[in-house]
Amino acid sequence: MTESVLAARDLARQFGGLKAVDGVSLELFAGEIHAVIGPNGAGKTTLINLLSGDLAPTAGSIRFAGHEIAGATPERIAQLGIGRSYQRVNVFAGFSAFENCRLAAQARLAHGLGLFRQARDVHVLNEAAAAALERVRFERSERIAETLSHGEQRQLEIAMTLATAPKALLLDEPLAGMGAEESERMTALIAELGRDHAVLLVEHDMDAVFRIAHTLTVMVDGKVLESGAPAAIRASAAVQEAYLGSDETAP
Amino acid sequence: MQAARERTMLLAAFALLALFPLLAGTFYLQLFAKIMIMAIFAMSLDLLVGYTGLVSFGHAAFFGIGAYALFVLSPQYAAASLYLSLPMAIGAAAVAAAVIGLLVLRASGVSFIMVTLAFAQMLFYYVIGSKTLGGSDGVYIYVKPSTTLFGWTPVSLDRPAGFYYLVLAALAATYLVLRFVTRSLFGHALLGIRSNESRMRALGFATTSYKLAAFVIAGAIAGLAGYLDATQFGFVSPDLLGWRLSGEVLMMVILGGMGTLYGSVLGAFVLVLLQDGLTDVTRHWLLPLGLFIILAVLLLPRGLGGLLRRAEKAHD
């Protein structure tokens, strides 16, 4: 058994009286796509926010690469090697796609604040940005981010995350709002990224999820209902009842 | 192409300013020195407002600290050494900016504006209550700093042209330093913070450190401007720390065009010359000045600097 890259134990987050995430445990392994599915309000995005440090958990532990990171700041968690994308597109709107990725790559240069290095002279960053854009097959790298289509901005966001050279990727609904063709390409890309990253994928597109995920965790009301291989989840009566629904045909 | 033209224009402007003392009398030399001091001050604020997205409404605090530092460092009837007092004044402003920055940078947006104002006002009232600093009456600095180094005096600051050139050199140095800073990796990170700070943190940038460093650099340069102001007028009063001056310099940055550096210089020239010109014409000079600023902000969202850029594009 290989050791997990990221392991969450009994993770909880409470908003007032609402237990958005309630005792969730899960593990991510290198080279594995772990999808988290569940109805709206199940706490999937909150879970990602806890893992990325955007929210501090009220209880529980998160181990990543030998560090306890529960409650650490987002910048520290990103520095350790967890990259995330957002449900709503979150890029530097006024920068070109290339500049977006170069800035992302800069985050991993551990050389103080960079006051004494002129940006255009740092070739490693240009190379890292170009490589990240290449990896997601992004072509219009000189375009200003806010003028890109929704699908392209999503692609760009993945490229930015890759430019920080993460070990684990947390992807929050990367297919949301995409057309069929774009969606197809993004699904293939995520499958490819899953080979050399530990990927946590939150997604509503069940077709895509069942196609590329190696492990599925089903969340309902902040709790893990069931976790296992896609075939086992598809066959589970509890999941059928709670989420997939009796008249909704499982893929 | 555009960068080359920008450089030509800046060099031409610098040459004109360098030749100005050959043509102008004392009155205009002093006026232009005052404008250039405000330009230094405005550029320092541009680093915060234009590049980092931190709208400080208390930037005069550091200007005032630089000015009072010269008073504290000057013997009563003798000259302070420029080479000692200037770095110490800048250092004092930088230290104050580091301390205040640590506290105010916890806030953002509108609360940042209010908190910076609050700290500047605290200093303002501290000085008003302080006997050693002259209270609300202010204090005089009877002798300008001396430039004598090992018995050699390159320039006397008592001569208007001598002081003018010191200020021009400080203006050029400030521009070059800030240009270097804004084009560094650090400067690019500041632009990222202005655009989307939470995304920067998610990428792994410890954004508070970057903002604090920008705050200290801006404070130090504001201290330089305050020191020069105290040298020029030989008089320091609590107004130099006050919210009116903080507002004026903010206006110069906005009027000139944020995030360009040279726009702030332009803003300083236009605002001070307008103030000066309008007070000659009418007692009710604030009214036309206010109208001008409102129109400029409405019609020129990128400020006067943006207007220059547009003219260049049309020319192409």
Side-chain angles (χ1 to χ4, degrees):
Chain A
M1 187 81 199
T2 49
E3 208 182 320
S4 61
V5 173
L6 187 151
R9 288 262 168 278
D10 303 320
L11 214 50
R13 169 73 198 202
Q14 204 158 339
F15 295 108
L18 174 75
K19 289 176 173 164
V21 169
D22 188 6
V24 169
S25 299
L26 58 78
E27 285 182 298
L28 297 187
F29 296 90
E32 185 200 67
I33 297 175
H34 188 142
V36 176
I37 60 171
N40 284 324
K44 304 180 300 280
T45 294
T46 305
L47 175 65
I48 283 198
N49 285 335
L50 293 178
L51 297 177
S52 70
D54 288 79
L55 284 173
T58 31
S61 90
I62 307 166
R63 300 283 304 173
F64 177 76
H67 299 271
E68 173 61 46
I69 58 165
T73 59
E75 55 267 33
R76 162 140 173 82
I77 289 175
Q79 282 290 343
L80 286 172
I82 299 182
R84 73 165 293 180
S85 74
Y86 289 82
Q87 196 171 356
R88 287 171 57 190
V89 169
N90 196 349
V91 296
F92 301 104
F95 293 18
S96 75
F98 185 78
E99 287 166 340
N100 265 282
C101 289
R102 192 172 56 185
L103 195 54
Q106 189 183 323
R108 290 312 286 277
L109 281 183
H111 287 294
L113 300 179
L115 243 170
F116 299 105
R117 298 178 79 184
Q118 292 288 281
R120 59 164 185 208
D121 298 338
V122 185
H123 300 298
V124 250
L125 294 183
N126 295 336
E127 283 155 24
L133 288 164
E134 171 94 32
R135 179 109 202 234
V136 306
R137 290 174 200 86
F138 195 94
E139 274 141 24
R140 308 203 287 165
S141 58
E142 291 312 312
R143 285 281 297 271
I144 301 298
E146 62 191 348
T147 69
L148 295 167
S149 76
H150 177 77
E152 286 171 322
Q153 293 194 16
R154 292 225 156 251
Q155 241 185 319
L156 172 59
E157 195 163 338
I158 305 276
M160 287 166 69
T161 309
L162 290 177
T164 66
K167 294 187 201 80
L169 286 170
L170 312 175
L171 305 178
D172 196 357
E173 298 198 26
L175 303 179
M178 279 192 160
E181 202 182 312
E182 288 176 324
S183 187
E184 190 63 37
R185 257 185 288 148
M186 182 63 91
T187 308
L189 173 65
I190 295 169
E192 190 195 311
L193 293 177
R195 282 189 215 126
D196 51 359
H197 296 87
V199 178
L200 181 84
L201 172 67
V202 166
E203 185 48 61
H204 278 297
D205 183 337
M206 287 306 128
D207 262 352
V209 164
F210 277 95
R211 198 136 42 94
I212 63 175
H214 305 107
T215 308
L216 278 170
T217 292
V218 184
M219 278 180 74
V220 175
D221 293 333
K223 291 192 177 77
V224 174
L225 183 69
E226 195 124 8
S227 192
I233 296 295
R234 201 176 298 167
S236 157
V239 174
Q240 288 284 346
E241 196 178 326
Y243 178 50
L244 295 173
S246 46
D247 45 18
E248 218 179 296
T249 35
Chain B
M1 185 58 216
Q2 203 192 5
R5 192 171 294 166
E6 203 172 290
R7 179 181 295 179
T8 316
M9 271 169 53
L10 286 169
L11 282 174
F14 180 75
L16 283 178
L17 284 173
L19 294 174
F20 189 65
L22 302 180
L23 313 164
T26 303
F27 173 78
Y28 282 102
L29 279 188
Q30 285 172 345
L31 177 64
F32 269 51
K34 174 179 149 188
I35 293 174
M36 289 192 292
I37 292 170
M38 291 313 286
I40 294 171
F41 187 27
M43 276 197 285
S44 76
L45 183 61
D46 193 23
L47 181 68
L48 295 181
V49 178
Y51 288 89
T52 321
L54 292 170
V55 181
S56 169
F57 197 26
H59 205 47
F62 310 113
F63 186 89
I65 287 171
Y68 274 100
L70 177 61
F71 166 72
V72 172
L73 295 167
S74 295
Q76 198 166 7
Y77 298 111
S81 163
L82 178 80
Y83 308 105
L84 280 178
S85 59
L86 180 58
M88 284 171 82
I90 292 174
V95 169
V99 173
I100 293 178
L102 270 176
L103 299 165
V104 298
L105 285 170
R106 290 158 188 271
S108 60
V110 175
S111 42
F112 182 79
I113 300 177
M114 299 316 290
V115 170
T116 47
L117 172 64
F119 270 94
Q121 289 301 94
M122 265 168 56
L123 278 179
F124 177 82
Y125 284 111
Y126 170 76
V127 170
I128 287 208
S130 160
K131 275 210 182 99
T132 35
L133 295 179
S136 57
D137 293 336
V139 285
Y140 289 90
I141 298 163
Y142 295 105
V143 190
K144 287 194 195 322
S146 128
T147 59
T148 305
L149 195 62
F150 306 120
W152 173 62
T153 308
V155 61
S156 162
L157 300 185
D158 288 316
R159 287 181 45 234
F163 180 71
Y164 177 92
Y165 280 118
L166 174 72
V167 175
L168 180 60
L171 178 73
T174 299
Y175 176 78
L176 291 176
V177 165
L178 287 176
R179 198 174 95 122
F180 184 86
V181 165
T182 53
R183 291 181 180 196
S184 69
L185 290 177
F186 171 76
H188 280 226
L190 295 186
L191 289 175
I193 291 171
R194 181 186 70 172
S195 167
N196 190 343
E197 184 175 356
S198 68
R199 192 72 178 98
M200 286 296 279
R201 295 186 66 193
L203 289 172
F205 287 94
T207 54
T208 308
S209 313
Y210 286 84
K211 290 194 290 185
L212 184 62
F215 203 76
V216 170
I217 294 169
I221 295 173
L224 163 69
Y227 175 95
L228 292 172
D229 183 273
T231 305
Q232 174 167 30
F233 296 104
F235 175 65
V236 180
S237 79
D239 288 344
L240 299 188
L241 299 148
W243 61 270
R244 274 190 66 133
L245 186 60
S246 290
E248 253 177 46
V249 70
L250 197 53
M251 216 123 70
M252 289 171 189
V253 174
I254 294 168
L255 190 65
M258 293 174 279
T260 58
L261 295 181
Y262 64 82
S264 300
V265 179
L266 214 58
F269 267 88
V270 170
L271 206 68
V272 177
L273 286 177
L274 263 180
Q275 274 175 356
D276 238 65
L278 288 172
T279 37
D280 285 350
V281 179
T282 163
R283 274 198 306 147
H284 307 289
W285 57 278
L286 275 171
L287 184 66
L289 185 68
L291 283 175
F292 171 78
I293 289 166
I294 291 170
L295 282 177
V297 170
L298 279 178
L299 300 176
L300 304 171
R302 284 158 168 253
L304 298 165
L307 191 67
L308 273 185
R309 281 224 169 125
R310 212 166 355 157
E312 250 178 55
K313 281 222 176 97
H315 184 78
D316 278 336

